Structures are given as structure tokens and as C-alpha cells.
Amino acid sequence: MKAEQTEDDRRESEERREMEALAARVLDLSRNAVLVNLRFMEQAYALLPCKRSELWTFATDGASLRYKPQHVLKAYAAEPNALARNMLHAALHCVFQHLFVGEPVIPAYWDLACDVAVETVINELDLAATRVDRTLLQDPLMMQVKGNVDLITAEKVYRFLLDSGMTEEEAIEARRPFLADDHEIWYRPVESEGDDAHQKQRAEAPAPEGEQRAEKKEEQRAGTTTDVKATDREHREKSRQGMESVKQKNKPKEAHEAIGGRFANTIGLDRAREDWEHAAYQMGVELESFARMWGTEGAGLVATLKAVTREKQDYSEFLRKFATRNEEIKVNDDEFDYIYYCYGLELYENVPLIEPLEYVDEKKVRDFVIAIDTSASTSGELVHKFVTKTYNILQDSQSFSTKLNLYIIQADAEIADVAHITSKKEFERYIDGLEVHGMGGTDFRPVFDYVDHLVETRELENLGGLIYFTDGQGTYPKKKPDYDTAFVFVDDAFAEHLVPSWAIKVLLESEDIRKFEDE
């Protein structure tokens, strides 16, 4: 009996090794099928070594691609192209840095948004090796997204899903045709899975209740395509618990701001994030030549990479630096020596000793102009947030000179509205009743003509600068104005090339503007 048991164990072990070797070969074939056409993905795949896992059916944590051999073989047997597509799907998640958000999100919406962004790029590339049947089921949601989102990135799709009124259950159901990998690994602390023995020991040892649920779920799904409802059941429950906990303490502005710690796996991911940032930059360089061959087929990937690799700009810091220096005589309290003052009172009773007063040259914003491009694509919410943020920065820390002199101009192809602000109360009344006027084409020249007129008539005697908030391309003045000008572009990576050399260019994401606080 013991000999038979030993023989069975040996045979089972041999079969397992053969299955693992075959799965590894299938993964290599699938990866190479993509690399034949997308050579620029070579570095990305190199950063994702395939590792057998006892916990994850098919998932990536940014450091490796975890898989169960039986799942890989059954998926390949059912539809060979699906495995190649799923590997590309997981790699693009890392390239677009979907794993490294570092801020609270609702998993049901974020998972769907990331999958939509990645599948959109893969569909546009239209490689023969990645064509699968499920793309037909993606069309209904794809049409909605493309009709409402200009550049399809995970952040923009996430915002669209939140604003659309879609419930979490609907988001989980809508994810089915886009599903390729398990995102639950994104929301867990980074594990050290250095060897298979560690994974097996962890899988066999008693686990916390949450992990037992995950393991039970994996056992139910072993060898089959990932079940999105099972994948997100724990997410949904944790999301609700987190929401209720926060609601008891305070009232969040938005649901997605109320869930903290959903990206708790950032410990240990900093190194992986740096690697993927570098890989994205490298891909962007190589894509310039590939884009010429593809034409429009690679446009989505190129645009998304530009959005991912674009350096984030701190608008608050920029505006403070943009503020010009204006000498204002003021006692420098830091340099006043109270020791001599008190010593004089003690020595001569009522005669203090005072050194010559020191004065400081403070950074002051003088007269200032905020111009708003009110063309059709500029939303009232963004205008409100931007104007309020700009005013608060200028007003903060004695930024304005003693007298406030601010003009807020709305314009499209012509001047639509002008507000002259000389006090905080006037600004509060203006922002409370703010309405966006215009909604036509874009021509920047009328604003510059109007500001030049204000300077000539001495309405603006000491103009500190002009900030022009725009999200489109327009006609610029041919001549450089006599004052500093900055164009703040929203979600427009291409308009920066059209800005005259004399203007300062600032690129902001609409999502970043929406996060501006109304201080």
C-alpha cells in the first residue's frame, strides 16, 4: 500500500511538472505573438516575469505576472488569442500605472475604468494575435465612453462612471466583457513570494477570514475564466463598510473620497513604480517611429502614454512663482532685536535702545487679470474651481498689494463678460453667482486688446500678469504684450506646441482641477 501511494505521488508530481512546463511554454508563445508586432513592449514584458502562484489565477502586482498553470492551459485551449490579449492587457495596466494610484477609489468603478482604458488601446491596435470574441460585447459601453470622454484614460473614465449614476453592481456586471486579470492583488499589501514553496506553505496554512474567502473563491474558479462577481464581492463589501464608517464620522463630498486605504499595497511598490515610469518614457520614444507606420491605429496608445508620462505641475507653486516682485516698505519683525530694547529700559528706566529698523522686499502681486476661455468644451465646474483656486492663492499670505485690483474676463471669440473685483466680498458675490457666458469659438486676441486698453487708460497701472485658462486651440496675438502671460491648458497635450514662445505654458488635468478645494 505504501509503495502504491509513493508511486501515485511520484506520478502526480510528474504530471504537475509537465503541466507547469507546458503552461510556461504557452505563456512564452503568447508573449512572442505580441512582441512580433509590438517590439516596443519588450521592456514592459521584461519587467513582468511569469511566476506560478497558488493564490492568483491571473494577476499582476507590477513586479511579476502571477498565474495558475491549469487556468493558463484551459484558457489557451478555449481561445488561444485570449491569453496573448490578457498578457498585453496586464502589461498595459503597469505601463499606464493603474496599480499605483495612491489615493482612495471605489474598486468597482476603478477596476472597470482601468479595463476600459486598456481594452480601448488594444482594440485600436487591432493585432491579429489579440482578436477575441468578447470585444463585440464591449461595444455598448465603449460607445458611451467615447461619446463623453475625449481622451480615454482610467482617470477620465472613472470620473465618467461616477457621474453617470451607474451603481457598483452595474459596474461589476459591465466589467465582464473587459475582464482579463484579477485586480484584487492591487488592493493588498505586497507579499514576498520569492519561491513556490512559500506560496504553497501560505496557501496550506490557516489564513485570516478575508484570505480564506479569497482562497475559496480561487478554488471555485480554478481552470476557468475569472468570475468578476466573485472577484469583486469582497471589494464591494469592504467598500460599503468603509463608506459607512466614514459617514458616521463626517459627511464626505463624494463617495470616492470616502474610502481610504484601498491602495494599501504601496509599501514595496515604489521601486516597481520607478521601473514602470522609465518603461513608459522609453515606450513613448520608440512609439514616435511606430506611430508613423500605424497612422491612426496607434494614436490612442501614443496619447495615453503622453498623458501618463506628462510631468505633474503644482499649480499653487507655479502661481506663487509667477507672481511678480513689488517692493513694499515694511518693518522686518524677524530682524527686530528685543534684547537691546529691554536692556535700555532696564538700564535707563524709560529709554529703550533701538537699532535702525530693517525692511524687507516682499513678494507681491499687483494688478492681475484672470481670463477664461468659455468655448463649448469648458465646463462651469472647472471654471468655478480654477477661478476660486487662483484667487485664494493670490490672496493668501499677503500676496496682493494693499489694494486688490483683479479683473476676471470671460471670452470665446469675443469678450462675453468682465468682472472687476476690488474686495473679498465682491469676489464671493461673483463666484456665488458665476455663470459661464459665450460657448463659441476660441480667439485669444480680444482679451489682450481689452487688457491693453485697461493699461492705456490706467485702470491697470501696475499689471502683475495675465492667466488665461483654456482647453482649446485658438488664435494668438502676433506681438508679445508688455506684461507676463501664462496659458493654463486643460487636458490638451497638443496645444502646448502652438503657444507663442513669449507665453508660459501650464498643463493641468481636469481631475486635478476638480480636486481643488474651495478654501
Side-chain angles (χ1 to χ4, degrees):
M1 175 68 70
K2 190 172 183 179
E4 291 179 2
Q5 195 172 28
T6 302
E7 180 64 22
D8 290 341
D9 291 342
R10 186 192 64 77
R11 188 180 301 107
E12 182 180 347
S13 178
E14 182 66 25
E15 290 176 353
R16 184 169 61 251
R17 284 195 297 269
E18 290 178 358
M19 180 178 63
E20 291 171 359
L22 185 58
R25 184 180 178 186
V26 166
L27 288 170
D28 283 340
L29 289 173
S30 299
R31 178 176 54 215
N32 292 336
V34 172
L35 288 178
V36 167
N37 297 283
L38 307 181
R39 295 296 299 274
F40 58 82
M41 286 294 298
E42 189 169 355
Q43 183 179 3
Y45 278 137
L47 291 174
L48 276 183
C50 297
K51 291 186 178 181
R52 181 178 60 84
S53 173
E54 297 292 340
L55 296 177
W56 308 104
T57 303
F58 197 81
T60 179
D61 61 355
S64 62
L65 183 63
R66 317 286 183 86
Y67 70 95
K68 283 188 175 180
Q70 60 267 38
H71 167 78
V72 166
L73 294 177
K74 289 190 176 183
Y76 185 79
E79 192 175 15
N81 284 359
L83 189 58
R85 186 184 184 96
N86 293 350
M87 293 185 73
L88 178 59
H89 178 111
L92 288 177
H93 275 318
C94 298
V95 172
F96 297 155
Q97 300 169 35
H98 292 161
L99 296 70
F100 315 115
V101 176
E103 63 183 46
V105 294
I106 300 177
Y109 299 110
W110 181 247
D111 291 345
L112 176 57
C114 293
D115 285 343
V116 168
V118 165
E119 290 290 298
T120 298
V121 170
I122 297 176
N123 289 342
E124 287 181 355
L125 294 175
D126 193 28
L127 301 179
T130 59
R131 291 172 187 161
V132 293
D133 294 338
R134 71 171 187 249
T135 55
L136 296 176
L137 302 176
Q138 297 175 357
D139 288 344
L141 182 57
M142 283 288 197
M143 291 178 64
Q144 291 184 46
V145 172
K146 291 180 178 179
N148 292 275
V149 180
D150 48 0
L151 176 60
I152 300 181
T153 63
E155 292 76 11
K156 290 180 179 294
V157 176
Y158 180 73
R159 168 59 61 175
F160 165 73
L161 295 174
L162 289 176
D163 294 342
S164 69
M166 179 183 291
T167 65
E168 289 185 59
E169 287 75 13
E170 290 171 341
I172 292 170
E173 185 65 26
R175 190 183 168 212
R176 283 181 175 275
F178 299 87
L179 187 64
D181 59 340
D182 192 343
H183 295 180
E184 186 179 351
I185 194 173
W186 298 1
Y187 309 101
R188 288 191 170 200
V190 173
E191 304 160 359
S192 175
E193 289 192 283
D195 53 73
D196 295 339
H198 173 76
Q199 296 181 42
K200 188 173 182 179
Q201 181 181 7
R202 176 184 170 90
E204 294 174 352
E209 182 181 352
E211 293 189 8
Q212 289 178 0
R213 288 198 301 268
E215 291 171 8
K216 184 178 180 181
K217 175 187 64 181
E218 291 295 339
E219 291 173 0
Q220 293 173 347
R221 296 184 300 163
T224 63
T225 302
T226 308
D227 185 340
V228 69
K229 284 190 175 180
T231 302
D232 287 287
R233 187 179 297 115
E234 187 177 355
H235 293 177
R236 192 163 62 253
E237 180 61 28
K238 289 181 179 179
S239 176
R240 290 198 185 97
Q241 292 174 1
M243 289 284 287
E244 291 303 321
S245 175
V246 173
K247 286 178 180 178
Q248 291 175 3
K249 296 180 180 180
N250 53 32
K251 294 181 179 180
K253 290 184 179 180
E254 297 182 14
H256 75 284
E257 295 176 352
I259 304 175
R262 298 307 299 135
F263 283 88
N265 63 346
T266 52
I267 299 176
L269 283 185
D270 288 343
R271 185 173 63 254
R273 182 170 192 166
E274 290 178 3
D275 291 340
W276 286 111
E277 287 176 351
H278 179 70
Y281 276 109
Q282 287 294 108
M283 284 178 60
V285 172
E286 296 180 23
L287 270 172
E288 294 297 330
S289 58
F290 277 90
R292 298 189 189 97
M293 294 187 297
W294 286 336
T296 58
E297 292 177 359
L301 179 56
V302 173
T304 306
L305 276 177
K306 285 185 176 180
V308 169
T309 57
R310 182 189 305 162
E311 185 177 353
K312 297 289 185 181
Q313 293 183 276
D314 186 334
Y315 179 65
S316 300
E317 184 65 23
F318 158 76
L319 188 54
R320 292 189 180 99
K321 290 181 178 179
F322 183 72
T324 57
R325 294 180 64 84
N326 181 23
E327 183 177 357
E328 180 172 297
I329 298 176
K330 182 179 179 181
V331 175
N332 187 352
D333 294 328
D334 294 334
E335 298 294 332
F336 187 81
D337 196 337
Y338 287 94
I339 295 177
Y340 279 98
Y341 182 89
C342 296
Y343 178 70
L345 291 177
E346 180 181 347
L347 185 63
Y348 302 107
E349 294 185 356
N350 60 347
V351 181
L353 295 177
I354 303 176
E355 289 186 312
L357 296 178
E358 298 288 340
Y359 296 91
V360 290
D361 176 21
E362 289 203 340
K363 182 176 290 186
K364 292 290 185 180
V365 176
R366 297 162 283 188
D367 303 341
F368 210 83
V369 177
I370 302 174
I372 307 297
D373 170 17
T374 57
S375 58
S377 53
T378 305
S379 73
E381 178 193 5
L382 295 183
V383 171
H384 187 285
K385 289 277 188 180
F386 178 80
V387 173
T388 303
K389 181 70 171 180
T390 302
Y391 173 82
N392 288 335
I393 294 171
L394 295 176
Q395 184 71 9
D396 186 45
S397 295
Q398 301 176 337
S399 292
F400 268 115
S401 295
T402 54
K403 182 181 178 181
L404 171 63
N405 192 25
L406 172 67
Y407 278 85
I408 303 176
I409 305 172
Q410 295 187 38
D412 44 26
E414 57 185 19
I415 302 294
D417 182 71
V418 176
H420 185 201
I421 308 297
T422 59
S423 68
K424 185 175 183 179
K425 288 185 177 179
E426 288 182 359
F427 177 79
E428 290 175 350
R429 285 198 298 268
Y430 172 80
I431 205 67
D432 288 342
L434 176 62
E435 293 184 6
V436 177
H437 303 277
M439 299 299 180
T442 303
D443 189 341
F444 303 119
R445 294 173 297 179
V447 169
F448 285 90
D449 292 339
Y450 185 80
V451 173
D452 289 341
H453 173 72
L454 293 177
V455 173
E456 291 174 3
T457 58
R458 304 186 68 81
E459 295 293 328
L460 294 172
E461 295 186 80
N462 202 10
L463 181 57
L466 164 64
I467 292 282
Y468 211 127
F469 180 70
T470 177
D471 64 352
Q473 304 174 13
T475 305
Y476 294 87
K478 294 182 179 179
K479 182 182 176 182
K480 178 184 180 301
D482 296 328
Y483 40 85
D484 292 333
T485 303
F487 284 89
V488 179
F489 288 97
V490 185
D491 300 334
D492 195 342
F494 303 102
E496 59 174 323
H497 303 297
L498 304 175
V499 180
S501 58
W502 46 261
I504 301 172
K505 298 167 286 188
V506 181
L507 298 177
L508 295 179
E509 295 287 342
S510 57
E511 285 303 305
D512 293 333
I513 296 175
R514 287 190 175 96
K515 294 173 186 174
F516 285 168
E517 293 294 332
D518 295 336
E519 300 165 357

